[in-house]
Amino acid sequence: MARKVKCRKCGSQIDQKTAFKVVVGKVNTYYCNEEEYDLVLAERKVKDDTYECINKIFGYIITNTAIYKEINALVKVYGYELILSYLQENFDYLHNLMSRDFEKEYGRIRYFSVVLSNNLADYKKAQEVNVEESAIREVVVDMPEIHYKRKNKRRALDEIE
């Protein structure tokens, strides 16, 4: 009887012999197939690139773990890809904002998080509009012909006399 292992990405039970195995140190991790493993690597790369971009915006490597809490809250709504593209497009603006003086690093992180959360909603809408504009659609409108005849204008008693 084949031993069952759990896929690291989707959590499904698969046979150990058919699973895609990755050895990390002395530990084996299993995936359903190589494509799922590649997806995991791509997600990790986008996440790492996002935090690397944030460190560049701040001008130093952030050691305060509050940044992870703040970004994770935004990731649940927007995802790393959208956040990274916003950070890259608005790098200069955000870098100038973070150049201000703050009393504590936590205040700087919270300010950055609030700026991101306020601007990401508009950025997401703008991205969706750009996608819709790029996909040109022709809309056929079925309008009935209207035969409208204007009624005679009412005349006042003064005009009749």
Side-chain angles (χ1 to χ4, degrees):
M1 187 163 147
R3 182 174 168 227
K4 296 279 187 177
V5 291
K6 187 176 181 181
C7 176
R8 190 78 179 249
K9 171 133 174 72
C10 65
S12 62
Q13 295 288 329
I14 47 178
D15 289 335
Q16 184 179 13
K17 292 180 182 178
T18 61
F20 181 74
K21 179 172 99 172
V22 178
V23 179
V24 180
K26 294 182 179 178
V27 179
N28 296 337
T29 56
Y30 297 94
Y31 297 91
C32 291
N33 51 35
E34 191 172 355
E35 289 79 29
E36 272 194 9
Y37 178 65
D38 291 339
L39 284 173
V40 169
L41 290 180
E43 289 170 1
R44 280 187 202 158
K45 181 170 179 6
V46 171
K47 181 179 178 180
D48 292 343
D49 290 347
T50 301
Y51 284 109
E52 184 180 324
C53 188
I54 290 171
N55 288 334
K56 286 179 184 176
I57 288 170
F58 276 70
Y60 60 92
I61 296 174
I62 303 167
T63 56
N64 193 331
T65 57
I67 190 72
Y68 300 110
K69 179 183 175 192
E70 299 294 332
I71 297 299
N72 284 338
L74 294 172
V75 167
K76 289 179 183 176
V77 179
Y78 301 108
Y80 282 111
E81 293 85 11
L82 186 77
I83 293 173
L84 179 60
S85 75
Y86 175 77
L87 292 175
Q88 289 171 341
E89 281 188 28
N90 299 293
F91 180 84
D92 295 331
Y93 166 71
L94 294 170
H95 184 69
N96 289 338
L97 281 180
M98 293 299 105
S99 298
R100 296 180 181 174
D101 288 333
F102 291 89
E103 260 184 58
K104 298 182 179 178
E105 187 179 41
Y106 181 73
R108 180 179 298 223
I109 291 170
R110 286 288 298 144
Y111 182 71
F112 179 73
S113 171
V114 169
V115 168
L116 269 183
S117 63
N118 287 339
N119 293 329
L120 279 173
D122 295 335
Y123 183 74
K124 183 177 181 181
K125 287 178 186 174
Q127 293 291 70
E128 290 171 356
V129 168
N130 289 341
V131 169
E132 287 178 9
E133 286 177 0
S134 65
I136 299 173
R137 294 182 290 158
E138 185 176 324
V139 178
V140 178
V141 180
D142 186 22
M143 294 285 294
E145 287 187 35
I146 300 174
H147 302 287
Y148 176 75
K149 185 175 181 184
R150 186 175 173 188
K151 293 182 180 178
N152 293 335
K153 187 175 177 183
R154 295 178 99 182
R155 294 188 302 177
L157 288 175
D158 295 341
E159 293 174 6
I160 295 173
E161 293 178 349

